[in-house]
Amino acid sequence: MNRPSPVEGTPSTAVFFGGVVPASADEERLAEEIGKALGAAGFALLHGGYNGLMEAAARGAAAQGGKVTAVTLAAKHDEWGDFNPHVSEAIRCKTLGSRLNHYFDRADLIVAMGGGVGTLHELTSAIYYAGNVRRVPVWIAGASALGLLAFLKREKWLFETPTRPLDFLTPVMSSAAFAGRLHRLNGAREADA
């Protein structure tokens, strides 16, 4: 199922998955640069709403005037704590499935970086969704997430077949590469509109 072309003036939506504890200061900087690029390109940002890489991406997007939405589990918000200060809207879902569906139903682009088991679940769910339900670009950035992607391919957890190509999945090595790919993606979307 393909999403309709965006209505002129309506922002595209990027989903950002990243952990609470950045693997390094470099990954935190990369997340902020990714957020800046998304905000500058007119993307609204959906993320978990908390700290770490999520906050860095939100900080970058908000600095460029991007709308930042937290999508969390209603029953866990008190336990998980306050949202980062860059959140402009919050969605509280009842179940984990409805939270993932909220992300995926709105995604024009999914960006995943490193994190804990929650981020791992989001990333693998995104790969399954994009490969089997609706083709949406999934971009993997940062050393830890790129290492995971290499592991999944090497161990044959993730492989390409003629009926299930992996062309939606893109490793992104730097903020400059991310910005370049984003520029090409926006150009293609505008040509389709």
Side-chain angles (χ1 to χ4, degrees):
M1 171 174 134
N2 291 328
R3 284 174 51 103
S5 296
V7 176
E8 191 170 321
T10 302
S12 298
T13 301
V15 173
F16 180 87
F17 295 133
V20 172
V21 179
S24 69
D26 288 341
E27 287 207 350
E28 189 167 359
R29 277 190 296 279
L30 178 59
E32 185 169 354
E33 291 299 318
I34 286 170
K36 283 180 183 176
L38 291 168
F43 278 79
L45 181 73
L46 297 182
H47 74 315
Y50 298 102
N51 53 2
L53 293 177
M54 291 175 278
E55 182 172 356
R59 181 172 50 247
Q64 296 298 314
K67 178 181 175 186
V68 177
T69 302
V71 182
T72 192
L73 289 171
K76 290 291 188 178
H77 180 63
D78 289 342
E79 178 183 334
W80 290 345
D82 293 333
F83 292 127
N84 69 63
H86 312 288
V87 170
S88 54
E89 176 184 40
I91 306 294
R92 290 171 171 85
C93 300
K94 289 184 179 185
T95 67
L96 186 58
S98 64
R99 181 175 181 249
L100 286 172
N101 286 335
H102 187 89
Y103 284 131
F104 298 148
D105 288 347
R106 288 154 182 80
D108 296 304
L109 170 63
I110 299 169
V111 180
M113 292 186 69
V117 71
T119 306
L120 175 64
H121 179 251
E122 292 163 343
L123 170 58
T124 55
S125 295
I127 292 170
Y128 182 84
Y129 179 86
N132 295 286
V133 178
R134 179 174 64 89
R135 305 218 36 101
V136 58
V138 178
W139 295 359
I140 311 298
S144 56
L146 290 169
L148 173 64
L149 182 61
F151 170 81
L152 292 173
K153 288 180 175 181
R154 183 177 63 248
E155 297 299 320
K156 305 283 190 241
W157 285 88
L158 183 61
F159 54 90
E160 191 162 30
T161 69
T163 59
R164 298 228 169 127
L166 296 178
D167 56 348
F168 62 88
L169 191 57
T170 303
V172 179
M173 304 303 198
S174 67
S175 58
F178 184 90
R181 287 194 169 280
L182 191 59
H183 179 73
R184 289 190 297 279
L185 177 67
N186 265 349
R189 289 171 52 86
E190 288 171 7
D192 289 343

